[in-house]
Amino acid sequence: MGTPMPSPDKIDFSTLPIYKPDVECTSRERIRAIQLAKLIDQVNYTYDRVSWYRDRMDELHVRPSDIKTLDDVRKLPFTDKSALRETFPFGLFATSLDEIVEMHASSGTTGKPIVVGYTKEDMDVWSECIARLAQMAGVTAGDRVQMAFGYGMFTGGFGLHYGILRIGGMMIPAGAGNTERHIQMINDYGTTVLIATPSYAMHICEVGEKLGFDWAASSLQIGLFGGEPCPPGLKAEIEARMHITCTDNYGLTEVMGPGVSGECLAHRDQQHIAEDHFLWEVVDPDTGEPVPEGEMGELVLTPLDKRGIPVLRYRTHDLTRVTTEPCECGRTLARMDKVRSRSDDMLIIRGTNVFPSQVEDVIASIPRLAPQYRMIIDNESGLDRLTIEVEIHPDAFSDSFEDMNQFTQEVTAKLQSVLLLRPVVRLLEPNSLERTLGKAKHVDDRRRG
Ligand code: DLL
């Protein structure tokens, strides 16, 4: 169970690398009091300024004055992507556009983009949340931080950039792509922190190895990851091969971007939620009803001090569970399990429900396989077919046809026992699958045309 946590009033904050100890290490009672005061203010603000919410709340006969406890949040309507699409581009904004100092958008795969705007106050909250997660990973003012997220409408690049400036780190704004140049820059500038999606970080690692770059001797020490689920084993693999410590950080455009939650170094599979800025709920994705604390469900987030585009009860579709048990790192902020899957990424193949995370778990349980994989679903013959392409770990590759043939049978059997359908398995040489600069795409569903 690890070391029991001292009560917050016994913590010597000066010894803890914590950005805002009076909030991050405060009592649960105080955190809830902060949340309630902010929730009441935020609901009033939203009702007064955003007609879309006023109409929904009026339909439900809910007034801002009905919010008296944190549980009263359940009286409020849910919001999902469709609300932002319906009101594209500025219909949910609560301020005049003159007060918006920055815009971002997420493209999505269908329909209009999701557009969000930040006021000056929103930018302050955003950079503070990022500063916290960077500090949770050990980043300090002395670090040289190389950005490998794309700058642009994606919230990852600029969001992390502002947060690093806030703690006084030096930004090296390289952006996504040009992988060899990234490695050259790490070497030339003595970069100590790399910011990337885990899949792109793995690619940078592999390209470096191919070029003969000695990661063990490099200046790099920390990886700040996020933006996509990190398959089990991938972070550990990168840590071992690049000789760095990496944290995985979560967020989404609709509620802010990165900065919603971040991994500390005590619990490597969980992330502390910035609870003074976000009220979380975990609900049954089918009914919308709350699940008991600690159980798996869909994360619903209400930003508590968002001025530009407030959203109430945003349905993230991300599946997780949350605990409020204190953490050995000293923080008392609730922790969410890493998001491995979404309520909407379930595939139905020949009538069977399949989650990509199930495939990832099987792959992670077989040491000879690398975490790089792709699922292709087609129905050329009239019947759905699932093909799983997965790379062999570079240390385990063999030229022997017989060996590979037998190994393919073993992997197929293991996948079949978990997925309850028999996939076609193709084992690939290391580095065969296409690498992406941003979020990895593991599913290619050709049935949708
Ligand atoms: O990906 C924000 C972000 C950027 C977070 C950089 C962290 C670092 P969107 O493009 O709107 O925003 O995508 C949000 O990506 O609902 C999750 O499904 C997924 N996601 C983001 N971070 C993680 C993570 C950014 N660490 C959607 N683990 C979210 C798992 C993640 N999934």
Side-chain angles (χ1 to χ4, degrees):
M1 280 299 290
T3 329
M5 209 211 57
S7 80
D9 55 347
K10 303 235 165 53
I11 294 176
D12 176 3
F13 293 132
S14 62
T15 64
L16 285 171
I18 288 180
Y19 188 73
K20 210 171 180 182
D22 58 321
V23 175
E24 292 183 77
C25 307
T26 194
S27 66
R28 295 295 311 158
E29 292 70 35
R30 180 153 172 270
I31 259 300
R32 290 176 66 81
I34 295 172
Q35 289 185 314
L36 180 58
K38 286 191 170 186
L39 178 67
I40 291 170
D41 181 61
Q42 185 73 2
V43 173
N44 274 291
Y45 177 84
T46 308
Y47 185 87
D48 287 347
R49 288 170 174 248
V50 186
S51 61
W52 192 91
Y53 278 110
R54 197 162 49 245
D55 293 347
R56 296 300 173 292
M57 286 173 62
D58 287 348
E59 274 164 28
L60 294 170
H61 306 291
V62 189
R63 294 271 169 279
S65 56
D66 293 326
I67 306 298
K68 297 191 172 74
T69 69
L70 285 179
D71 286 344
D72 288 335
V73 74
R74 291 189 213 138
K75 295 176 179 166
L76 300 170
F78 284 121
T79 312
D80 63 20
K81 256 192 190 20
S82 62
L84 285 120
R85 293 219 160 102
E86 263 169 42
T87 55
F88 174 86
F90 304 129
L92 286 190
F93 281 39
T95 60
S96 88
L97 290 181
D98 291 347
E99 289 173 68
I100 300 294
V101 296
E102 186 156 324
M103 257 184 70
H104 282 278
S106 81
S107 52
T109 42
T110 51
K112 301 264 192 214
I114 302 296
V115 175
V116 292
Y118 303 73
T119 64
K120 173 118 195 7
E121 294 89 329
D122 293 335
M123 297 301 285
D124 278 348
V125 171
W126 196 15
S127 61
E128 181 188 309
C129 290
I130 303 286
R132 282 190 205 176
L133 69 84
Q135 219 178 44
M136 271 194 253
V139 179
T140 66
D143 275 302
R144 300 175 203 175
V145 185
Q146 191 164 314
M147 176 63 71
F149 281 148
Y151 285 96
M153 299 312 275
F154 176 53
T155 52
F158 282 106
L160 268 293
H161 185 110
Y162 298 135
I164 298 297
L165 297 188
R166 180 99 177 225
I167 53 177
M170 179 176 101
M171 273 313 302
I172 305 173
N178 214 333
T179 307
E180 292 190 13
R181 192 185 60 153
H182 265 291
I183 294 157
Q184 190 66 51
M185 289 169 88
I186 292 170
N187 192 52
D188 292 345
Y189 305 146
T191 303
T192 54
V193 180
L194 177 71
I195 300 179
T197 57
S199 48
Y200 188 46
M202 185 73 228
H203 182 47
I204 294 176
C205 170
E206 291 166 336
V207 172
E209 286 171 352
K210 240 200 269 169
L211 294 172
F213 186 69
D214 183 357
W215 287 114
S218 93
S219 53
L220 205 63
Q221 291 165 16
I222 295 175
L224 291 181
F225 299 161
E228 63 177 1
C230 187
L234 182 61
K235 188 155 63 78
E237 175 91 16
I238 297 171
E239 289 189 331
R241 281 165 67 176
M242 292 179 100
H243 299 265
I244 58 178
T245 301
C246 309
T247 63
D248 176 16
N249 305 286
Y250 167 88
L252 61 162
T253 310
E254 295 85 337
V255 304
M256 182 165 78
V260 173
S261 66
E263 178 186 323
C264 70
L265 297 178
H267 279 274
R268 308 300 313 278
D269 287 319
Q270 291 180 321
Q271 295 152 335
H272 286 283
I273 302 174
E275 282 186 287
D276 49 331
H277 299 295
F278 298 95
L279 182 66
W280 56 268
E281 299 168 75
V282 181
V283 304
D284 179 322
D286 297 326
T287 64
E289 290 301 314
V291 301
E293 183 175 323
E295 282 189 20
M296 191 62 108
E298 178 183 344
L299 183 67
V300 174
L301 292 168
T302 302
L304 292 171
D305 38 25
K306 208 151 174 272
R307 301 281 110 169
I309 172 167
V311 282
L312 303 177
R313 305 191 82 200
Y314 190 76
R315 296 203 54 162
T316 65
H317 291 293
D318 292 319
L319 299 176
T320 186
R321 70 185 96 194
V322 178
T323 174
T324 54
E325 292 289 308
C327 180
E328 284 89 340
C329 74
R331 290 175 185 81
T332 46
L333 296 179
R335 281 168 285 150
M336 56 185 262
D337 278 11
K338 286 197 174 168
V339 171
R340 295 283 320 282
S341 51
R342 295 173 51 84
S343 55
D344 53 6
D345 69 6
M346 186 182 78
L347 296 154
I348 302 179
I349 304 173
R350 268 180 265 152
T352 304
N353 300 345
V354 176
F355 282 95
S357 56
Q358 293 175 297
V359 173
E360 287 173 5
D361 287 340
V362 173
I363 291 173
S365 73
I366 305 174
R368 288 180 70 189
L369 294 180
Q372 282 89 0
Y373 75 99
R374 185 161 73 129
M375 299 167 67
I376 304 160
I377 308 104
D378 60 28
N379 57 3
E380 275 164 31
S381 63
L383 197 66
D384 290 348
R385 180 177 58 175
L386 169 63
T387 304
I388 298 176
E389 297 181 331
V390 54
E391 288 183 14
I392 298 186
H393 196 278
D395 298 339
F397 186 66
S398 145
D399 275 336
S400 150
F401 175 75
E402 264 170 39
D403 177 35
M404 281 300 125
N405 207 12
Q406 194 193 333
F407 187 35
T408 306
Q409 301 309 323
E410 283 167 26
V411 175
T412 308
K414 254 197 163 175
L415 282 163
Q416 184 176 6
S417 71
V418 171
L419 304 181
L420 308 178
L421 63 90
R422 190 170 176 83
V424 176
V425 171
R426 280 197 214 125
L427 298 184
L428 307 177
E429 286 183 27
N431 288 312
S432 319
L433 287 170
E434 196 192 333
R435 304 298 197 244
T436 49
L437 308 177
K439 305 187 186 215
K441 221 178 149 267
H442 294 293
V443 178
D444 181 1
D445 192 344
R446 298 178 182 167
R447 295 172 303 178
R448 290 180 194 141

